Amino acid sequence: MQITPELLSQPIVAQWGVWLPAPAKINLFLHVVGRRPDGYHLLQTVFRFLDCGDRLRFGPRQDGLVQRVNDVPGVPAEQDLCVRAARLLAEAAEVRGLAVGGATIEVDKRLPMGGGLGGGSSDAATVLLALNQLWQTGFSNDELQALGLQLGADVPVFVGGRSAFAEGVGEALQSLSLPPAWYAVVVPPVSVPTPVIFSAEELTRNSPRVKISDFAGLVAAHEFGRNDLQAVAVSRYPEVAEALAVLAQVANSESGLLAPPRMSGSGACVFAACGSASVAQNVLSSALAKLPSGSSGFVAQGMDVHPLVASS
Ligand code: C5P
């Protein structure tokens, strides 16, 4: 997998035919604090965006149809969150009496699937944000977040467009400014299905609730809390355990790390937060040299604002 970090400091206005970013996220911590009657888990987490991710571009159609124009291995078009997001927006527009022309969607998939980096959710959010502009459907950001929640628990934070402290299933958001950091992200050669981790019997589901004030403004923000999903992923996926162990070993011999390595989301990716891009690059190179072939990784800078939302 080739991931090219893109520095996306300028707000972006959606245009037909222009590649638009769908950034990755990591979870700086993730606590499971309960479970809803429908089985979904109540979380407390901090989402941070990265300055790398997938890219999407859109073409106009006049026949009202939504069509993905490229193959994405392992994701049939009809199940793709991108296609479902576009159709959901078109249906919501129709309810309001707005006619939309349709769209073609091309997805340049760079983020791993089952990686815990929010790739599919971010793609869906970019579809909602971009087509709301391109179709001139005029939904507010809150309305788009509500549509996004129907597609997945991680979609609203990408639509909201700010790094955030999240509660509920991930949809109750309070935006945050986070300290600068560069992340060495290791992608183990395995895909972790989120439901497998959340349905594990041994998962800790009763972490004590924290307050945003416990976290916000902390200099040692990256050391706060833990990822409750990590122990389950480590025990079931040796590739995740090995990536974490190697990253921890490398981290011990490097100065400039902000916290011990951690897993993002439900895995498989693990990351080390570093004080500079060069430290992160050293950590990544040393870790990949010790890991079996098939492992990959990248360095990305933390970003607090989604470039598509900065423009709206
Ligand atoms: O929302 P999303 O489709 O990403 O979630 C995938 C699965 O992960 C859900 O079907 C559910 O089993 C589990 N999940 C959960 N609690 C959450 C988020 C996801 O139990 N807050």
Side-chain angles (χ1 to χ4, degrees):
M1 182 192 57
Q2 183 84 41
I3 293 181
T4 317
E6 300 167 48
L7 280 174
L8 298 162
S9 54
Q10 295 297 315
I12 294 171
V13 178
Q15 291 176 58
W16 294 111
V18 172
W19 285 111
L20 300 172
K25 61 84 179 162
I26 51 174
N27 300 83
L28 297 196
F29 69 89
L30 192 159
H31 297 170
V32 181
V33 298
R35 199 175 197 181
R36 292 196 317 203
D38 66 1
Y40 259 78
H41 290 79
L42 298 169
L43 310 177
Q44 289 191 312
T45 186
V46 163
F47 288 106
R48 178 168 228 190
F49 302 137
L50 302 181
D51 68 347
C52 68
D54 296 338
R55 302 188 305 169
L56 292 90
R57 63 180 170 185
F58 303 86
R61 284 177 76 111
Q62 305 309 325
D63 55 9
L65 298 179
V66 170
Q67 187 195 18
R68 195 185 69 190
V69 293
N70 63 308
D71 277 343
V72 179
V75 189
E78 293 307 300
Q79 286 168 26
D80 192 329
L81 276 188
C82 294
V83 173
R84 292 173 49 207
R87 292 189 178 148
L88 192 61
L89 184 67
E91 281 163 26
E94 203 181 315
V95 169
R96 293 220 172 150
L98 301 166
V100 301
T104 58
I105 305 175
E106 191 176 352
V107 187
D108 177 10
K109 199 86 199 123
R110 300 173 179 201
L111 296 172
M113 283 181 255
L117 301 178
S121 303
S122 186
D123 296 347
T126 290
V127 169
L128 293 173
L129 291 165
L131 288 180
N132 189 44
Q133 290 183 30
L134 296 168
W135 283 342
Q136 300 186 345
T137 35
F139 288 100
S140 69
N141 191 278
D142 283 351
E143 289 170 329
L144 294 178
Q145 285 187 44
L147 289 175
L149 185 58
Q150 296 179 41
L151 299 163
D154 283 355
V155 181
V157 71
F158 289 106
V159 173
R162 313 273 156 181
S163 284
F165 177 69
E167 298 183 277
V169 297
E171 83 295 357
L173 302 166
Q174 292 173 264
S175 58
L176 279 174
S177 289
L178 296 165
W182 286 259
Y183 300 92
V185 181
V186 171
V187 184
V190 66
S191 178
V192 175
T194 303
V196 169
I197 303 299
F198 273 111
S199 61
E201 208 171 308
E202 72 273 22
L203 174 66
T204 300
R205 297 186 166 86
N206 60 353
S207 279
R209 285 181 184 271
V210 298
K211 295 197 283 297
I212 186 174
S213 53
D214 298 337
F215 175 84
L218 270 188
V219 179
H222 290 88
E223 284 174 345
F224 185 84
R226 71 209 151 269
N227 182 342
D228 282 335
L229 308 180
Q230 185 171 308
V232 177
V234 161
S235 71
R236 294 180 181 221
Y237 295 90
E239 298 89 342
V240 175
E242 187 175 20
L244 265 174
V246 166
L247 210 46
Q249 192 190 339
V250 168
N252 269 339
S253 57
E254 280 279 343
S255 57
L257 260 82
L258 303 176
R262 234 174 233 184
M263 189 179 81
S264 180
S266 53
C269 292
V270 303
F271 63 91
C274 305
S276 73
S278 59
V279 170
Q281 194 57 59
N282 289 343
V283 168
L284 179 68
S285 306
S286 309
L288 290 180
K290 292 175 195 281
L291 282 165
S293 65
S295 303
S296 62
F298 59 94
V299 168
Q301 187 173 2
M303 181 172 76
D304 286 341
V305 182
H306 190 304
L308 268 174
V309 177
S311 64
S312 55

